[in-house]
Structures are given as structure tokens and as C-alpha cells.
Amino acid sequence: MSELEIDASREERIEMEVVVDAYDEEERRLGWYYYLDNKVKFPFNAIWISEERPIDSEDEVEIEGEEVEVIGMASEEECQDDMYVEIVYQEEGTEDTFAVPLYDVVPMEVDDDTLEAIEDWYYWVERGYEW
């Protein structure tokens, strides 16, 4: 298990809103997919990172990466092993859209519901929980 401390209110929210009535891996995965799809307000700008981020850092950490636009959840089929989002990535005058793990994006200037849902997912991942 993770060194990340248990957050009782987050645990309760996840239990009551995300994985409620989920009896197996598939149901937990679908619970996360629809929770994120319904609660996150797309599109939003984010930093797309690939290096490992610090867990449970009390200090403000500057995240290095590429600024991207997150336009929505990837298809349900693409989210079999992880939660993926579709991003628009621009480089040298070209634009490409593809799916990246939600954990690899850090939202910028999003509403409270979006931030809460994404942070719920980060928490789930950082605690080492599985489907």
C-alpha cells in the first residue's frame, strides 16, 4: 500500500459515488469511467507529464510537461486497464488527438467539481487501489 494517508471524506465519496454497488472489477472500472465522464467538465487545459510525480507532497511542486487541451474521456473500450482522456497536442504547426492516462495530466484552472473528480482518481491510483 501507499504512504499516502487515508482521506476519510474522499474514501466515503468514492465508496458512495464511484464504486457503490460494484461487486467485481468490471463494475468498479465502469463506476470510475462514468463518475469521471459525468463530473469532469470538458474541455480544459492541462499539463501532460510523463515523469513520475511526487506523492502526497505538502510543497507546491512545479510540474514540467507539455500544455494540452483535454477534450473528453477516451472510449469505454480504451479504459479497460486505466482511465484515459483524449488530448489535443500541438507541435510544430501540427495537431494530433490521442488518449493518455488521466493520471498523466495535471488540470489547469478547472472548476471545483472537475478538480475534485480528478483528484479522487489520483488518490485511488496513489493509494494503490485496483479494480
Side-chain angles (χ1 to χ4, degrees):
M1 244 340 139
S2 168
E3 294 177 20
L4 182 64
E5 286 187 33
I6 290 178
D7 179 330
S9 64
R10 191 172 303 274
E11 291 276 339
E12 182 176 351
R13 183 173 48 258
I14 291 169
E15 182 67 30
M16 300 307 292
E17 294 182 38
V18 181
V19 297
V20 64
D21 296 330
Y23 297 105
D24 61 21
E25 293 177 2
E26 178 68 9
E27 290 178 352
R28 282 187 295 277
R29 183 188 65 77
L30 288 172
W32 271 109
Y33 183 84
Y34 288 107
Y35 172 73
L36 292 166
D37 192 43
N38 290 324
K39 196 164 178 181
V40 174
K41 312 271 186 313
F42 298 102
F44 62 88
N45 290 334
I47 301 297
W48 175 34
I49 59 173
S50 57
E51 59 273 350
E52 194 170 314
R53 70 176 82 206
I55 293 176
D56 195 28
S57 176
E58 293 291 324
D59 302 322
E60 190 70 27
V61 177
E62 185 171 329
I63 303 290
E64 291 187 23
E66 301 293 325
E67 187 170 337
V68 296
E69 181 181 21
V70 181
I71 58 174
M73 293 295 294
S75 72
E76 189 179 309
E77 293 77 30
E78 289 180 281
C79 294
Q80 295 293 315
D81 298 322
D82 201 342
M83 290 294 110
Y84 286 88
V85 290
E86 293 283 332
I87 65 169
V88 177
Y89 178 70
Q90 297 181 358
E91 181 179 51
E92 299 175 16
T94 64
E95 185 174 282
D96 196 10
T97 302
F98 54 94
V100 300
L102 176 58
Y103 190 78
D104 290 349
V105 297
V106 178
M108 301 167 44
E109 299 178 22
V110 294
D111 65 50
D112 291 340
D113 286 342
T114 296
L115 184 60
E116 181 178 77
I118 292 171
E119 287 180 346
D120 287 347
W121 177 247
Y122 292 167
Y123 176 84
W124 178 272
V125 172
E126 290 171 3
R127 288 285 306 153
Y129 296 147
E130 298 180 10
W131 305 127

